[in-house]
């Protein structure tokens, strides 16, 4: 919708509800074209109708597609009003196919008696009133329409529609933390009329919403609230509300607070780092209340949220289509100008993919930390390390590499700031969830686990200092070539991406989500924390095969880099420098490429103490055997 905020107003209702009259007035008032759906019936439908024969669904489908085409064509140029009975959900689905986010439904409602009386007063109407009953029988109430009673005067009906359109916002943002604020500004900068909400907490969160609105020029037309009811009522229906609150219990509490004010067909979008299993639970819960829910992973931090994040939405596809124009518009764009936002798949798949994104992020960060510790143990100071990493941008560029160069150069007084930062890494839980998920799904994302546990180990600062004294371990100066370190880093990054993508692919199979890994790599090329040149290179590779280790160019690359990582890991182990993720990457490939592993011993042990049985190499049937050891 960016720069093109056109919309189709569909006026619907049974024959005789007055939709043509209202449609005409509305189109004249708004100075946009008017189309009467009935004018697009093929001749055979008109013949049937004038002979008093009801149309079948079959009769209607071609006609509805014609109107859908008309709507799409109009949207390219202008907004428009289209009147059409659109009694069934399946009819409305055809009418809004491909343009869901740009459609406003207005349903003119009245009782059978009311409408019959109106019809009886009409002359030359091609449908006899006797067909009205079948229309009422067919009518499936829309859940996402503005309902207006036909007993109001045409002027009042049009005023209600205009009021909804002009005074109400099209998108709501709930929660004005760092990310909520940036996303709100991003939406407003794209020309969307928004409402923003932040709670009022005496002493800590006072006047947040209104102060925020007043502080930014682009929020001039935005509406700011600290009252939930007023916030909800300020939104056009179906309401689209993005929650940007802390993941976990707070999200559930906010949903409960909102429910009493929501109507059937409204959409809640959870943009936090929520657990994917909770997203499915929330989806089911809200479905029982006729509220749509989608879980959306948003990556890019404060700056990304403002200038264009990478967005990973999951849930029901039709619901996604209702918010697609907003999310695509605010997202980052890839090298071809396409939005770094794509429908990921069903249920909590959007949050799952965001979670794995964070797992990959943990490893990418850990690898850079290991490179830093290696270079530090080669007597390089932060500026010298930054210079080396800067030169890596030519071959291994990524957002995280870039910020690490900046970080290393930052001075604080006479010293570098990094030298003053306590070496205890924090976390907000997504790496933990990824590690749990990978264990539950039986996928060996060993690097994500190693990066997570490296953070946990770092946290035991006092014990580490004590143990250092007890064991007398003191890393010795390393003797390595810079080229080998770069090669080792690249090798480990490839394995990291393989493992993360493998985990996503396994989840897709286990949860029956239809996932497109190439598209996922594409939306990771910009806006997100793990954006990198390598993500770009993965797009065509993943189009061929979900397993990147089957790809010839990846195989050759890993073969070429392997001697370097062998040297780097060996040297670090010998000189007692911890490099858990680099070493895990090489150990993983060694295990993954071992045709004959040591797992025969594990199977024998399991059978020995627990009669768990084992398969035999000399029995091709695959039968399970047991030995009385
Ligand atoms: C992103 C980040 C973002 C956040 C992480 C930090 O993609 O924008 O991943 O979501 O910075 O939650 O996670 P930790 O605090 O666990 O490192």
């Amino acid at each position: 919708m960016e720069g093109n905020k056109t919309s189709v107003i569909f006026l619907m209702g049974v024959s005789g509800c007055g939709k043509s009259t209202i449609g005409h007035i509305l189109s004249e008032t708004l100075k946009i074209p008017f189309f009467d759906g009935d004018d697009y019936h093929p001749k055979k439908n008109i013949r049937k109708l004038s002979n008093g024969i009801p149309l079948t669904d079959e009769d209607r489908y071609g006609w509805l597609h014609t109107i859908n085409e008309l709507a799409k064509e109009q949207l390219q140029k202008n907004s428009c009003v289209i009147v059409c009975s659109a009694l069934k959900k399946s009819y409305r689905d055809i009418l809004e196919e491909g343009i869901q986010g740009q459609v406003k439904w207005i349903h003119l409602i009245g009782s059978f008696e009311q409408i019959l009386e109106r019809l009886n007063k009409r002359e030359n109407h091609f449908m006899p009133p006797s067909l009205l009953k079948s229309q009422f029988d067919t009518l499936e109430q829309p859940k996402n329409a503005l309902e207006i009673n036909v007993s109001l005067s045409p002027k009042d009906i049009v005023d209600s529609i205009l009021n909804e359109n002009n005074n109400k916002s099209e998108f709501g943002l709930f929660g004005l933390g760092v990310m909520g604020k940036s996303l709100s500004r991003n939406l407003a900068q794209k020309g969307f009329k928004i409402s923003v909400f932040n709670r009022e907490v005496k002493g800590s969160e006072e006047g947040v919403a209104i102060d925020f609105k007043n502080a930014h020029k682009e929020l001039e037309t935005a509406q700011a609230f600290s009252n939930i009811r007023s916030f909800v009522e300020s939104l056009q229906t179906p309401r689209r509300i993005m929650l940007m609150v802390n993941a976990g219990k707070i999200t559930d509490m906010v949903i409960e607070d909102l429910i009493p004010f929501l109507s059937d067909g409204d959409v809640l979008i959870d943009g936090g780092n929520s657990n994917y299993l909770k997203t499915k639970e929330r989806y089911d819960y809200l479905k029982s209340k006729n509220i749509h829910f989608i879980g959306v992973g948003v990556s890019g931090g404060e700056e990304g949220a403002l200038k264009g994040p990478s967005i990973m939405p999951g849930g029901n596809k039709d619901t996604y289509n209702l918010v697609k124009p907003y999310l695509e518009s605010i997202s980052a764009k890839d090298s071809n100008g396409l939005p770094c936002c794509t429908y990921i798949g069903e249920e909590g798949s959007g949050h799952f993919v965001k979670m794995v994104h964070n797992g990959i992020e943990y490893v990418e960060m850990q690898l850079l930390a290991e490179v830093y510790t290696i270079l530090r143990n080669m007597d390089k100071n932060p500026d010298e390390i930054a210079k080396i990493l800067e030169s890596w941008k030519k071959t291994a560029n990524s957002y995280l590499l870039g910020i690490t160069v900046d970080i290393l150069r930052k001075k604080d007084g006479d010293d570098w700031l990094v030298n003053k930062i306590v070496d205890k890494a924090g976390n907000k839980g997504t790496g933990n969830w990824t590690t749990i998920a990978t264990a539950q799904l039986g996928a060996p994302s060993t690097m994500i686990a190693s990066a997570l546990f490296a953070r946990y180990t770092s946290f035991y600062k006092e014990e580490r200092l004590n143990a250092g004294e007890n064991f007398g371990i003191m890393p010795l100066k390393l003797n390595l070539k810079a080229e080998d370190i770069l090669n080792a880093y690249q090798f480990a990054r490839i394995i990291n991406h393989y493992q993360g993508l493998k985990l996503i692919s396994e989840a897709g199979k286990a949860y029956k989500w239809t996932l497109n890994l190439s598209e996922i790599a594409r939306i990771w090329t910009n806006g997100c924390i793990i954006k990198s040149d390598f993500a770009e290179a993965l797009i065509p590779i993943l189009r061929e095969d979900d397993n990147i280790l089957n790809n010839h160019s990846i195989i050759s690359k890993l073969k070429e880099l392997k001697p370097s990582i062998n040297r780097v890991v060996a040297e670090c182990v010998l000189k007692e420098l911890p490099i858990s993720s680099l070493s895990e990457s090489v150990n993983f490939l060694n295990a993954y490429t071992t045709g004959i592993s040591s797992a025969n011993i594990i199977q024998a042990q399991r059978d020995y103490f627990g009669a768990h049985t084992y398969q035999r190499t000399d029995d091709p049937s695959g039968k399970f055997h047991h030995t009385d050891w």
Side-chain angles (χ1 to χ4, degrees):
M1 272 219 239
E2 193 174 355
N4 174 26
K5 293 183 63 223
T6 55
S7 56
V8 177
I9 302 176
F10 273 114
L11 267 169
M12 60 161 289
V14 295
S15 290
C17 69
K19 50 190 185 294
S20 299
T21 313
I22 303 297
H24 273 298
I25 307 177
L26 191 62
S27 95
E28 275 160 27
T29 318
L30 291 172
K31 298 194 175 36
I32 55 174
F34 167 84
F35 301 94
D36 191 333
D38 283 347
D39 294 343
Y40 293 82
H41 271 297
K43 283 206 180 75
K44 69 173 179 50
N45 286 5
I46 307 261
R47 253 195 317 274
K48 271 188 151 180
L49 285 167
S50 40
N51 288 330
I53 307 168
L55 297 180
T56 63
D57 282 356
E58 211 50 15
D59 294 329
R60 284 194 174 91
Y61 287 144
W63 167 61
L64 294 165
H65 279 292
T66 310
I67 303 177
N68 172 253
E69 285 308 318
L70 167 77
K72 281 184 187 156
E73 201 187 304
Q74 282 303 311
L75 279 172
Q76 303 297 320
K77 316 176 222 163
N78 203 344
S79 296
C80 67
V81 177
I82 301 181
V83 301
C84 178
S85 47
L87 300 180
K88 285 192 185 176
K89 180 173 181 304
S90 60
Y91 304 167
R92 296 189 289 273
D93 286 347
I94 298 177
L95 289 171
E96 64 176 13
E97 220 168 77
I99 49 172
Q100 287 93 337
Q102 286 165 280
V103 165
K104 294 189 198 313
W105 287 100
I106 294 164
H107 184 197
L108 297 181
I109 52 166
S111 69
F112 178 79
E113 291 71 25
Q114 238 177 332
I115 306 277
L116 187 63
E117 197 191 321
R118 293 167 68 110
L119 270 177
N120 282 335
K121 283 190 197 148
R122 286 193 191 176
E123 283 173 24
N124 303 328
H125 194 268
F126 67 79
M127 193 199 75
S130 58
L131 284 187
L132 185 61
K133 168 101 180 55
S134 87
Q135 293 222 349
F136 267 88
D137 290 345
T138 311
L139 177 66
E140 292 166 7
Q141 296 285 347
K143 290 191 175 138
N144 54 354
L146 170 67
E147 290 188 347
I148 305 185
N149 198 290
V150 294
S151 59
L152 295 173
S153 70
K155 185 181 173 308
D156 285 347
I157 293 180
V158 171
D159 282 351
S160 315
I161 298 171
L162 294 179
N163 179 41
E164 171 88 4
N165 266 358
N166 297 343
N167 300 335
K168 296 202 171 180
S169 304
E170 51 191 318
F171 200 93
L173 211 304
F174 190 109
L176 296 174
V178 171
M179 294 294 280
K181 279 184 174 162
S182 295
L183 286 175
S184 302
R185 292 184 59 200
N186 188 345
L187 279 155
Q189 284 166 8
K190 297 295 177 318
F192 294 116
K193 188 154 184 252
I194 59 166
S195 287
V196 295
F197 171 92
N198 199 78
R199 65 181 180 173
E200 200 68 14
V201 181
K202 267 229 156 316
S204 61
E205 288 176 67
E206 289 181 43
V208 175
I210 191 71
D211 288 351
F212 170 58
K213 170 183 156 65
N214 292 337
H216 302 282
K217 178 121 190 47
E218 66 268 36
L219 296 173
E220 214 169 298
T221 60
Q223 307 187 65
F225 298 93
S226 58
N227 175 288
I228 296 189
R229 177 196 281 268
S230 315
F231 166 71
V232 173
E233 285 176 355
S234 76
L235 296 165
Q236 292 172 20
T237 52
R239 301 180 182 93
R240 299 159 170 95
I241 300 175
M242 185 152 186
L243 310 178
M244 291 307 297
V245 297
N246 287 342
K249 282 201 174 60
I250 305 268
T251 304
D252 290 314
M253 281 159 61
V254 161
I255 290 174
E256 286 308 321
D257 288 346
L258 279 163
I259 285 174
F261 308 109
L262 299 176
S263 323
D264 286 4
D266 286 349
V267 186
L268 292 185
I269 308 151
D270 176 11
N273 269 332
S274 290
N275 186 295
Y276 69 103
L277 296 169
K278 288 297 291 178
T279 300
K280 161 102 174 82
E281 276 176 31
R282 289 174 185 138
Y283 170 85
D284 290 337
Y285 171 63
L286 285 162
K287 193 172 176 196
S288 72
K289 303 201 172 294
N290 290 328
I291 308 291
H292 298 304
F293 182 73
I294 55 170
V296 170
V298 180
S299 175
E302 184 177 3
E303 195 182 317
L306 180 62
K307 296 186 179 155
S310 170
I311 305 184
M312 296 150 249
N316 179 289
K317 181 95 189 251
D318 287 339
T319 308
Y320 171 63
N321 285 332
L322 288 172
V323 297
K324 178 177 158 174
Y326 302 90
L327 300 185
E328 287 196 349
S329 182
I330 60 169
S331 72
K333 304 297 174 282
D334 71 8
S335 56
N336 293 313
L338 295 172
C340 288
C341 170
T342 191
Y343 172 69
I344 299 288
E346 303 77 359
E347 302 176 339
S349 60
H351 275 141
F352 188 91
V353 168
K354 172 61 178 38
M355 177 190 78
V356 178
H357 163 286
N358 280 26
I360 296 174
E361 172 187 302
Y362 273 45
V363 179
E364 295 280 287
M365 292 165 75
Q366 175 65 21
L367 290 174
L368 284 161
E370 291 179 12
V371 162
Y372 158 77
T373 193
I374 288 172
L375 291 167
R376 188 173 55 178
N377 277 277
M378 290 169 71
D379 288 343
K380 308 268 181 234
N381 69 36
D383 264 343
E384 290 164 335
I385 300 174
K387 196 164 169 224
I388 294 170
L389 297 193
E390 176 86 56
S391 73
W392 290 9
K393 288 186 183 172
K394 283 190 243 81
T395 38
N397 204 13
S398 72
Y399 168 77
L400 285 168
L401 179 74
I403 67 162
T404 308
V405 170
D406 294 349
I407 288 165
L408 288 165
R409 289 193 173 136
K410 184 87 181 161
K411 282 289 199 55
D412 183 66
D414 292 344
D415 200 358
W416 287 273
L417 180 56
V418 274
N419 290 345
K420 296 185 177 175
I421 296 179
V422 177
D423 57 339
K424 287 164 81 172
N427 77 92
K428 290 221 186 78
T430 46
N432 176 341
W433 294 345
T434 323
T435 305
I436 292 172
T438 203
Q440 279 173 340
L441 289 164
S445 301
T446 55
M447 293 187 73
I448 294 176
S450 80
L452 173 76
F453 296 141
R455 286 197 193 187
Y456 289 172
T457 309
S458 80
F459 216 76
Y460 289 97
K461 174 82 178 173
E462 291 71 28
E463 283 187 39
R464 282 195 284 119
L465 287 169
N466 190 29
E469 272 180 28
N470 290 346
F471 287 90
I473 293 178
M474 194 61 187
L476 301 170
K477 190 171 164 184
L478 302 171
N479 182 14
L480 284 167
K481 288 197 190 110
E483 189 197 345
D484 274 341
I485 305 169
L486 168 60
N487 288 349
Y489 171 65
Q490 282 187 291
F491 176 98
R493 291 187 63 224
I494 298 174
I495 302 295
N496 177 28
H497 282 78
Y498 158 76
Q499 290 191 345
L501 290 161
K502 172 78 174 161
L503 174 55
I504 293 174
S505 154
E506 289 300 322
K509 285 184 215 149
Y511 296 116
K512 300 195 173 41
W513 298 331
T514 322
L515 304 176
N516 181 336
L517 265 59
S518 175
E519 267 294 279
I520 291 171
R522 186 188 67 71
I523 64 165
W524 285 351
T525 58
N526 202 4
C528 63
I529 303 295
I530 63 167
K531 71 178 173 187
S532 71
D533 289 354
F534 186 52
E536 188 85 45
L538 285 173
I539 303 171
I541 294 172
L542 288 162
R543 233 178 257 137
E544 303 297 318
D545 194 327
D546 279 358
N547 182 347
I548 65 168
L549 294 187
N550 285 336
N551 179 275
H552 290 299
S553 65
I554 295 279
I555 294 171
S556 327
K557 191 80 198 159
L558 286 173
K559 278 181 172 171
E560 180 194 320
L561 302 172
K562 185 93 185 329
S564 291
I565 192 155
N566 288 347
R567 280 193 286 274
V568 170
V569 171
E571 174 73 357
C572 291
V573 172
L574 286 172
K575 305 283 172 64
E576 303 188 316
L577 185 75
I579 35 96
S580 50
S581 288
L582 281 168
S583 81
E584 188 44 55
S585 73
V586 74
N587 266 318
F588 173 78
L589 195 73
N590 287 345
Y592 185 69
T593 52
T594 296
I596 299 172
S597 77
S598 55
N600 48 340
I601 294 296
I602 308 288
Q603 284 299 77
Q605 290 163 335
R606 292 177 69 243
D607 190 56
Y608 188 107
F609 62 70
H612 292 301
T613 72
Y614 57 89
Q615 290 166 299
R616 292 181 62 102
T617 54
D618 55 2
D619 179 357
S621 76
K623 202 177 112 195
F624 283 85
H625 298 262
H626 169 62
T627 294
D628 184 2
W629 297 89

